[in-house]
Amino acid sequence: MHRTIWEKSKDSIREKIGAENFNVWFDQSRPVELREDHFVLEVKNQFQKEWIEENYRSFISASLSQTARKPIQLAVIVKPDSPAAQKKSLRTLKTPGYLLDSKYTFEKFVVGPSNQFAHAAALAVSENPGGNYNPLFLYGGVGVGKTHLLTAIGHRIAKNFNDSRLIFIPAENFVNDVINSIRYEKMPDFRSKYRDNCDVLLLDDIQFIAGKERTQEEFFHTFNSLYSLRKQIVITCDRFPKEMEALDERLRSRFEWGLIADIQPPEIEVKIAILKEKSENNKIVLPDDVALFLANTSSSNIRELEGFLIRISAFASFYNSEINLDFAKKVFKNISVHNEGIPVSIESIQKAVANHFNLKIADLKSSRKLKAFTVPRQIAMYLSRKLTNSSFPEIGSKFGGKDHSTVIHANKKVQKQLENNIQLSMTIDRITKDLKD
Ligand code: ADP
Ligand code: MG
């Protein structure tokens, strides 16, 4: 059954992403099973898995769903006998909030001028939680390493103080926890979890609670309670506390009680050092000139930089080629279609979306609520987030001064729909292709 679905879907996937991409990413993958609504695909390494999940999951789920005529989600697993898969299962640490990703440790964090202050602060907190740097507030743009450092603190504290009760939670999940606790009248459980049974609270992306009154209220009390018990609180955010207008003043001022550390966009040296470290870890031979080329080609988003490395190495292994500058350039020239990370501007996205739907750019920036406007607007916001390095507030401001929560909502909505709406997936593909021609 699962094999038939895979065989039938293959052609449309190949057609969509191009034969070359298909071969590089899926040639050696194996359909394992269809368990209820999950289609399990096995790939050969962790790199492959991450890349497929990040770039192709929603689209492939949509193709599979169409073939099977029912909603199917793609799940990617790494071939079990590979060392990466084993390491993963051994070292993933569970907290009541969320898993601590085993990849994000201090050992794997490259330190340079752009992040050394934040790194030193994170280390200090791990040695002496609840000490002088409480709360620790880390802020910086997209992909500069906030989640990595926050997670590293969790791992290190767990190692240093093994009876310490940690909670790592993305603020988005914290919001959901508040909402569900209210809805199901479980507030006492919520409080006992976050206030009475927590020694270290690691809250990722706190900008998500801005504008959410009830969550802020709950977080305020959680904060006060933990703080008065000298429990460590570490918070990450995409901007400086004072810039978060929709955040309760009482919270903002509390963030200033401890230490605020920023992470700047990485310098070229840091980018190169990161490439070296990642390539060594993954046994990829990466010559200096190629590292420089990749560092220069990527924006300040380190996730994108890693994506470049993953892609080059996948192509090299498929073609059995060594990685050299010519090869790297060729891979970049040939990038065909789907979701590839070439920087584009919000303005060019607005133009392409407006063209596609026969609208004016002003319609995308307006607040008109007709579906004919809201759908393209949401797509344009989604693409702005995906293809540019802009923050949610920046995108909002370029769409006629909309609040960042509107952009977050649009982004999520499109993502969700992409999971099973093949029409939408094709529309977005076509616009993306137009953008890159
Ligand atoms: P943010 O949370 O700021 O958006 P992440 O922490 O998710 O960014 O980092 C994005 C990617 O870049 C992750 O894979 C992370 O491991 C990697 N990364 C970021 N900074 C560094 C660094 N200094 N050294 C090594 N890897 C890094
Ligand atoms: Mg993050």
Side-chain angles (χ1 to χ4, degrees):
M1 174 70 174
H2 58 282
R3 276 195 210 97
T4 328
I5 294 178
W6 182 240
E7 285 307 317
K8 282 193 186 149
S9 306
K10 259 175 155 176
D11 289 339
S12 73
I13 298 170
R14 189 183 288 109
E15 191 182 325
K16 196 78 165 298
I17 69 177
E20 184 174 46
N21 271 333
F22 185 86
N23 291 339
V24 167
W25 299 110
F26 298 102
D27 195 48
Q28 294 175 44
S29 61
R30 189 173 73 84
V32 180
E33 61 172 335
L34 182 64
R35 197 189 300 152
E36 284 160 26
D37 56 353
H38 279 83
F39 181 90
V40 183
L41 188 70
E42 184 186 86
V43 299
K44 64 177 190 228
N45 61 37
Q46 185 67 21
F47 255 22
Q48 203 95 10
K49 168 178 154 78
E50 281 168 29
W51 184 265
I52 292 174
E53 284 177 340
E54 189 133 320
N55 295 281
Y56 297 121
R57 174 153 58 194
S58 52
F59 158 68
I60 289 183
S61 299
S63 285
L64 294 169
S65 307
Q66 203 186 37
T67 309
R69 298 212 175 82
K70 64 174 190 172
I72 290 183
Q73 291 290 328
L74 178 71
V76 187
I77 57 167
V78 177
K79 209 169 168 198
D81 63 4
S82 75
Q86 279 171 8
K87 234 175 24 205
K88 182 100 182 169
S89 64
L90 281 178
R91 289 214 290 146
T92 308
L93 194 59
K94 203 167 162 28
T95 83
Y98 213 66
L99 298 180
L100 285 182
D101 193 318
S102 60
K103 292 195 307 269
Y104 297 162
T105 59
F106 279 117
E107 288 73 21
K108 295 203 176 118
F109 192 81
V110 175
V111 185
S114 56
N115 58 31
Q116 67 188 13
F117 182 60
H119 174 260
L123 266 182
V125 159
S126 313
E127 296 309 320
N128 184 17
N132 286 336
Y133 303 143
N134 199 21
L136 172 62
F137 189 96
L138 300 170
Y139 77 97
V142 180
V144 295
K146 301 181 297 295
T147 301
H148 188 140
L149 267 187
L150 185 70
T151 313
I153 294 175
H155 285 299
R156 187 57 66 85
I157 294 182
K159 194 169 138 208
N160 288 347
F161 309 90
N162 66 21
D163 53 351
S164 184
R165 295 162 302 174
L166 298 169
I167 296 185
F168 173 98
I169 186 155
E172 217 179 339
N173 298 44
F174 186 84
V175 173
N176 290 336
D177 226 2
V178 173
I179 294 172
N180 288 331
S181 302
I182 296 170
R183 181 187 305 154
Y184 301 111
E185 296 174 1
K186 290 260 164 67
M187 229 42 225
D189 293 352
F190 176 92
R191 288 177 185 142
S192 120
K193 171 173 161 195
Y194 288 102
R195 296 188 203 170
D196 309 330
N197 290 299
C198 172
D199 300 316
V200 179
L201 179 63
L202 307 169
L203 187 69
D204 203 12
D205 290 322
I206 198 168
Q207 69 273 7
F208 275 104
I209 76 167
K212 305 201 171 62
E213 296 300 326
R214 186 61 205 269
T215 308
Q216 291 191 39
E217 185 70 24
E218 250 348 289
F219 182 67
F220 180 71
H221 295 301
T222 304
F223 184 101
N224 289 341
S225 155
L226 294 175
Y227 186 84
S228 65
L229 295 167
R230 314 204 77 216
K231 309 287 193 190
Q232 180 68 45
I233 301 159
V234 187
I235 293 161
T236 70
C237 188
D238 67 354
R239 67 212 102 131
F240 192 67
K242 282 217 164 61
E243 289 171 37
M244 268 193 298
E245 278 123 34
L247 192 74
D248 190 335
E249 180 50 39
R250 295 177 303 172
L251 272 177
R252 273 194 266 175
S253 65
R254 269 165 179 70
F255 297 156
E256 289 163 17
W257 288 358
L259 181 67
I260 299 182
D262 66 333
I263 310 182
Q264 291 292 324
E267 296 85 5
I268 190 105
E269 293 84 350
V270 174
K271 289 193 196 172
I272 291 176
I274 290 173
L275 285 171
K276 293 242 137 124
E277 134 102 27
K278 307 254 166 192
S279 49
E280 260 161 43
N281 282 339
N282 292 285
K283 306 212 169 16
I284 297 166
V285 182
L286 187 75
D288 289 349
D289 55 349
V290 180
L292 184 66
F293 169 74
L294 296 182
N296 273 323
T297 311
S298 72
S299 66
S300 62
N301 185 339
I302 297 171
R303 195 170 296 114
E304 178 186 291
L305 183 70
E306 290 177 348
F308 286 174
L309 178 66
I310 295 177
R311 194 158 61 203
I312 294 275
S313 78
F315 276 79
S317 106
F318 181 76
Y319 287 113
N320 224 339
S321 156
E322 63 164 16
I323 298 179
N324 58 39
L325 194 56
D326 276 348
F327 184 78
K329 288 187 172 160
K330 212 156 67 202
V331 169
F332 275 79
K333 236 194 250 138
N334 289 348
I335 310 168
S336 42
V337 294
H338 213 77
N339 297 347
E340 305 284 1
I342 295 176
V344 290
S345 69
I346 295 182
E347 287 77 11
S348 61
I349 291 171
Q350 290 172 332
K351 201 167 144 213
V353 173
N355 272 343
H356 183 92
F357 289 100
N358 251 326
L359 297 175
K360 297 196 198 69
I361 291 180
D363 296 329
L364 295 177
K365 296 187 180 176
S366 75
S367 300
R368 300 182 64 183
K369 295 265 187 299
L370 280 177
K371 220 171 161 192
F373 300 118
T374 56
V375 172
R377 190 179 299 134
Q378 285 170 345
I379 292 177
M381 287 178 172
Y382 163 84
L383 285 171
S384 301
R385 176 66 179 181
K386 189 172 171 83
L387 303 177
T388 77
N389 208 13
S390 314
S391 67
F392 288 123
E394 277 162 6
I395 297 170
S397 77
K398 296 211 171 164
F399 279 81
K402 301 213 167 33
D403 190 71
H404 68 280
S405 60
T406 310
V407 185
I408 291 172
H409 172 77
N411 188 49
K412 264 213 212 120
K413 187 157 174 201
V414 174
Q415 272 175 358
K416 184 94 199 99
Q417 288 178 347
L418 275 176
E419 286 169 9
N420 49 33
N421 185 335
I422 192 120
Q423 195 58 41
L424 180 67
S425 163
M426 283 165 76
T427 303
I428 287 182
D429 248 26
R430 205 160 315 128
I431 297 171
T432 311
K433 236 191 239 166
D434 288 345
L435 272 168
K436 288 172 175 177
D437 280 345

